[in-house]
Amino acid sequence: MAFLQLKSVGQTYFSKTSATTALEDISLSINEGEFTSILGPSGCGKSTLLSIIAGLLVPTAGSVMVNNQTVNQPHPKIGYMLQQDYLFPWKTIEDNITLGLKLRNQNSKEHIQAAFRLLKEIGLEHTKSKYPSELSGGMRQRVALVRTLATQPKMLLLDEPFSALDYQTKLKLEDLVSSTLKEHGKTAILVTHDIGEAIAMSDHVILLSSNPGRIFRTFKIPETLKSLLPFEARQHPDFSATFQQIWEELEHIEQNDHEQETS
Amino acid sequence: MSKTITNKKHLEYLLSIKKERRNIRIVQLLIFLSFFSMWEISSKQGWINPLLFSSPSKIWSLFLEKASDGSLYIHVAFTLGETVLGFILGTLFGTLLAALLWWSPFLSRVLDPYLVVLNAMPKVALGPILIVAIGPNFGSIIAMGILISVIITTLVVYTAFQNVDENYVKVVRSFGGDKKQCFKEVILPACFPSIISSLKVNVGLSWVGVIVGEFLVSKQGLGYMIIYGFQVFNFTLVLMSLLIIAVMATLMYQGVEYLESKLIKHHS
């Protein structure tokens, strides 16, 4: 049974002058433990889709089901990680990572201890009583990962979580996130516009076309790459072949867009 | 560059900073001293009318006299108490009203024109009505102090509430937080700097409100001393009260600045 199921989800935004369809007829299902990337040109509604899955936005059409239950508000088994860390500058690292537990009323001793263990796992135990402004961008994003994992979600939604980081930090963090999620057996959906990142991290890549956002194609990442850490996967010969394939499809989407515009 | 040279350069740099700071202090002190000595001399020499402008020495001896018979303390204590209460309550009510507007966008749109009118209106003009409504007492003075600062606080704090980055709210919501928790965990703490800076503005405004209130009520306080001195043509008394107000208001402002440095160390 699929963990997450989307049934012809659509989203239309209304303004005084127009109605814009951001997403149309998105159906997909994701099994537990899978890592799926959603790839697409900017403005294809990737982040909107993630907000819908997170339960922050109720779709104008279709439905989202987790374990066969309809999601229409933030689900306790789904964690959401944003483009930037958005750690609260007025809270210490300790208070930041336990925020979710506090809000979900799970702040028992065990849960808090588990959060601290996670912080130790990613090598930032010494920052507990520091403030976010005292940490580097990469460290802050790692803390944000701990904050998301602290409530022990089954599925993680990652909204371009590495896009604000420098290249080196980004590569290191990809490895860390990938191995941490695998170790804890988490399901994950990553939204990105970086083809390499999508291939290196995931089991499936879903390509969205834009205006309105629709599923254009779904790729399976070769077994040879799946088992490797993102950094190693990037070095593998199969990587560039897959990259080429997805690249061409993306070109396709752009061409279609152009034709639509000119016709 | 070797280490000793770097160290030497650093010392020179520190010395230059120190020197500049000292020069600023000296000039400030010179302005202060020359102002008061010029005042004293021109009053003694009759260049300015000593009846209207008094002189620092007369003010000082009046201050000592009033201080020794104890009457000064009562007036100062009254005014200070009213001002502190006025500005704390003004900031508190302003923030509460801003929270209400944030909570209900509908209410905020309904109240918008009224707030604009109230903000534009000179609040001291309401003084006589306050005295009729509340009575010529402590209450109407406090009300004056609150009235003068509450609307501007509401507008400033509400704008700050609206400008909080939506993504922080998204974090709280993704953890299942409701609107109340969003306010408590994000909106309010994120706006502490704005609330404190409105506190700074309100220190000045509350002094205006309280002094005008005391003019009207005319029972006690520094405002009463000013209006009384004016009526009996004792300008030494008027100027002494003014100087005390200047010192008090500065001290209060410094107090708020100290609070600011303590409270919002980590807000960036």
Side-chain angles (χ1 to χ4, degrees), chain B residues 38 64 113 120 139 142 170 218 224:
Chain B
M38 276 311 289
L64 292 179
I142 303 270
K170 212 168 172 184
S218 274
Y224 158 74

Side-chain angles (χ1 to χ4, degrees), chain A residues 51 56 74 80 82 86-91 99-100 102-104 131 133 147 151, chain B residues 165 167-168 170-177 181 184-186 189-190 266-268:
Chain A
S51 290
L56 295 171
Y80 192 4
L82 296 150
Y86 289 108
L87 296 177
F88 293 11
W90 54 86
K91 286 183 189 284
L99 176 73
K102 195 170 136 195
L103 291 171
R104 287 234 178 265
Y131 285 87
S133 57
R147 176 176 67 186
T151 51
Chain B
D165 192 331
N167 285 303
Y168 286 112
K170 212 168 172 184
V171 169
V172 171
R173 283 192 52 216
S174 78
F175 285 126
Q181 283 167 316
K184 192 177 142 248
E185 295 292 340
V186 181
H266 298 285
H267 266 79
S268 59

Side-chain angles (χ1 to χ4, degrees), chain A residues 15-69:
Chain A
S15 74
K16 262 187 199 165
T17 49
S18 64
T20 320
T21 306
L23 291 172
E24 198 174 75
D25 196 27
I26 305 273
S27 295
L28 54 90
S29 62
I30 290 172
N31 295 322
E32 209 167 335
E34 276 182 343
F35 198 120
T36 308
S37 285
I38 296 174
L39 195 65
S42 50
C44 69
K46 292 173 295 199
S47 294
T48 305
L49 184 58
L50 220 54
S51 290
I52 290 173
I53 298 172
L56 295 171
L57 197 63
V58 178
T60 44
S63 63
V64 180
M65 318 256 275
V66 170
N67 280 337
N68 271 340
Q69 278 181 316

